[in-house]
Amino acid sequence: MRETYIVRSCILLILLAIVSGCVNGPNDEITLPPADEYDTAVAVGWLGFNAGSYDDAALTFGKAVEIDPTLSQAYLGLGWSYAMLDQTALALPNLDLAIARDSESPDGYAAKAFVHLARGEYEAAIEAARQAIDFGGEDYVFSQIPDVQTRNLRLVMVESHHALGQYSDAQAQVDTLNPDNNLDEDSRTYKQDLLLEIEDLGSVGLVLEELIN
């Protein structure tokens, strides 16, 4: 499969071409290999996304989809872009398309977890976060948005379980994140203590706070 989770920039293509020693044309002129149009569009899309230009990013990812609709990365970028534009009804179908094209990657599931949390769809958020962790493991970090990582996926699960009144399940995730939390489920103030512990576990990151809030 030709997809990659690391953005191939034009600069990288040039450097690789030079290092390979296979780019010399007539009269020792440097001849660059043709850039992959799809990967370049996806790379430009993420550059726009990380600059906060979500409308432009969505347009660029859309062009990448037109170039090759069989690959997942452009749909993933579209999903995130629409989510940040507060168009979650458009985000979710694109994330589903990304998953359909790469069902064993954690990235699409992770994105869905945060989008469902933003929509108040707590059961769906829990399931998506669980799937992302199953595929990504405890060391998972999304290459394009470092805030999307296993720790924050567990925070999604904590907040979702708490919102559903599933305190024991929320506690189980808190125990994973902070085994020394000293919470006592038999305490009269347990619910308040649990909420304070959730707050103490910290932020999920600027990008995700912008989405969720």
Side-chain angles (χ1 to χ4, degrees):
M1 187 172 184
R2 70 180 180 117
E3 288 201 64
T4 178
Y5 299 108
I6 301 175
V7 174
R8 294 189 222 167
S9 68
C10 294
I11 293 175
L12 179 58
L13 287 171
I14 293 172
L15 290 175
L16 287 174
I18 293 172
V19 171
S20 69
C22 299
V23 296
N24 288 339
N27 302 318
D28 291 328
E29 294 179 357
I30 293 178
T31 303
L32 298 179
D36 183 285
E37 191 177 4
Y38 178 87
D39 287 342
T40 299
V42 170
V44 173
W46 282 117
L47 287 174
F49 181 95
N50 287 314
S53 302
Y54 304 124
D55 282 306
D56 291 340
L59 288 173
T60 306
F61 287 127
K63 292 177 182 177
V65 167
E66 292 176 1
I67 293 168
D68 193 337
T70 69
L71 302 177
S72 70
Q73 288 299 295
Y75 292 110
L76 184 64
L78 270 175
W80 273 112
S81 298
Y82 284 133
M84 300 307 295
L85 290 167
D86 199 26
Q87 298 179 34
T88 55
L90 292 176
L92 288 172
N94 279 286
L95 295 175
D96 285 334
L97 287 168
I99 290 170
R101 284 153 178 76
D102 193 0
S103 60
E104 294 187 1
S105 168
D107 296 338
Y109 301 105
K112 287 188 67 176
F114 290 104
V115 172
H116 282 305
L117 178 63
R119 289 166 61 93
E121 298 166 350
Y122 301 117
E123 291 182 355
I126 292 167
E127 179 58 25
R130 181 178 293 113
Q131 289 176 297
I133 294 172
D134 285 345
F135 285 113
E138 290 301 325
D139 296 326
Y140 167 68
V141 179
F142 178 39
S143 62
Q144 303 300 337
I145 309 175
D147 291 338
V148 180
Q149 55 181 266
T150 298
R151 180 183 184 278
N152 289 340
L153 287 166
R154 291 198 180 280
L155 285 175
V156 168
M157 297 175 77
V158 169
E159 293 186 23
S160 297
H161 282 305
H162 188 272
L164 292 169
Q166 299 169 349
Y167 302 118
S168 294
D169 292 321
Q171 174 76 59
Q173 294 301 321
V174 169
D175 289 343
T176 299
L177 291 165
N178 179 20
D180 300 322
N181 58 75
N182 295 320
L183 289 169
D184 180 3
E185 294 187 58
D186 295 325
S187 170
R188 290 183 300 173
T189 60
Y190 171 68
K191 293 181 181 179
Q192 180 181 354
D193 294 340
L194 176 60
L195 183 59
L196 291 173
E197 178 65 26
I198 293 171
E199 293 175 356
D200 287 343
L201 285 171
S203 167
V204 294
L206 294 176
V207 171
L208 301 181
E209 283 185 350
E210 183 180 348
L211 167 62
I212 295 170
N213 295 329

